[in-house]
Amino acid sequence: KNEVEQSPQNLTAQEGEFITINCSYSVGISALHWLQQHPGGGIVSLFMLSSGKKKHGRLIATINIQEKHSSLHITASHPRDSAVYICAVSYNNDMRFGAGTRLTVKP
Amino acid sequence: NAGVMQNPRHLVRRRGQEARLRCSPMKGHSHVYWYRQLPEEGLKFMVYLQKENIIDESGMPKERFSAEFPKEGPSILRIQQVVRGDSAAYFCASSPQGTTQITQYFGPGTRLTVL
């Protein structure tokens, strides 16, 4: 079993839909990160969370430390949101990554 | 302020050759992390370096792989005698402090293809 599990693996949505991607982890962590990997391969850090909730534009990330679970929400999704979204946890000196959720938003 | 730079962006090597991947961190960042993304797989931690020191290399394969981050110049990930299984995207990331509790800034990656 992976230390970081994401669901769903693949997600297709229509433009404007509300999207939720989930992440569960099994190790003690100091922080959780949400990353975005575009089709060209570049990786951008979206959020770093250690508790509660953060919001940036149409993106919202939440974490429940007791339940070892985090969610990434996208409101009013747009085709340019199409990417792979990766959950990662800070563990000792390194990060452990989920397999990613491939999101496709259709116009 | 330039972001994290990696070069080359694409590297093709034949089996048995050496591959050298370079990473220049963001200005002011003295901590570098290397990650590998195998085809159709997730990212995996390889090594964490601070200037002139390897802090954690627990994710590095025991043979053929080495990394350095000299006092001057970029961090280098070196793969000797490459094999087809080394084909992957190699990303580096940098941060100003030595903790994964802050944002890491990723480079564009080097895509290594071993023929």
Side-chain angles (χ1 to χ4, degrees):
Chain A
K1 189 179 190 302
N2 289 338
E3 292 160 318
V4 184
E5 296 277 355
Q6 282 185 242
S7 64
Q9 273 188 305
N10 294 284
L11 180 56
T12 300
Q14 287 298 130
E15 184 174 355
E17 285 185 1
F18 180 84
I19 286 160
T20 296
I21 299 170
N22 294 301
C23 175
S24 297
Y25 53 92
S26 58
V27 293
I29 68 169
S30 51
L32 183 141
H33 306 254
W34 282 101
L35 310 172
Q36 180 190 54
Q37 186 169 26
H38 279 284
I43 297 173
V44 174
S45 181
L46 298 174
F47 292 105
M48 194 279 295
L49 292 161
S50 52
S51 65
K53 176 180 173 179
K54 285 190 177 179
K55 184 175 190 291
H56 181 71
R58 295 180 294 106
L59 302 178
I60 303 166
T62 63
I63 187 169
N64 185 319
I65 297 292
Q66 286 73 31
E67 294 186 4
K68 295 188 175 177
H69 181 269
S70 174
S71 292
L72 176 69
H73 304 286
I74 305 175
T75 61
S77 59
H78 190 277
R80 65 174 174 265
D81 297 326
S82 297
V84 176
Y85 292 83
I86 302 168
C87 171
V89 297
S90 295
Y91 181 74
N92 294 332
N93 286 317
D94 62 83
M95 289 209 289
R96 306 291 171 90
F97 298 85
T101 294
R102 186 175 299 276
L103 171 66
T104 303
V105 181
K106 294 186 175 179
Chain B
N1 188 6
V4 178
M5 310 286 284
Q6 286 189 250
N7 69 80
R9 295 290 303 276
H10 299 274
L11 181 61
V12 179
R13 286 286 178 265
R14 296 191 181 280
R15 279 179 297 170
Q17 291 184 319
E18 179 181 285
R20 280 186 180 235
L21 287 62
R22 294 174 186 77
C23 170
S24 297
M26 284 183 72
K27 189 176 179 181
H29 290 192
S30 57
H31 300 264
V32 166
Y33 305 80
W34 283 94
Y35 301 96
R36 178 166 66 173
Q37 188 174 41
L38 292 166
E40 305 303 320
E41 292 189 22
L43 287 155
K44 295 277 195 302
F45 166 78
M46 297 184 75
V47 62
Y48 159 41
L49 309 105
Q50 196 181 355
K51 283 282 187 180
E52 300 185 273
N53 289 304
I54 296 174
I55 307 300
D56 183 345
E57 56 181 348
S58 58
M60 286 272 273
K62 294 287 184 282
E63 296 177 350
R64 303 186 297 108
F65 284 72
S66 62
E68 62 175 7
F69 189 14
K71 188 176 179 182
E72 301 291 337
S75 175
I76 306 282
L77 179 67
R78 182 180 176 211
I79 311 171
Q80 295 178 290
Q81 299 174 333
V82 295
V83 301
R84 288 222 173 102
D86 297 332
S87 295
Y90 292 83
F91 291 92
C92 80
S94 73
S95 66
Q97 297 171 32
T99 170
T100 52
Q101 294 182 60
I102 62 173
T103 298
Q104 292 184 9
Y105 295 85
F106 285 80
T110 293
R111 276 144 192 84
L112 171 66
T113 301
V114 179
L115 302 177

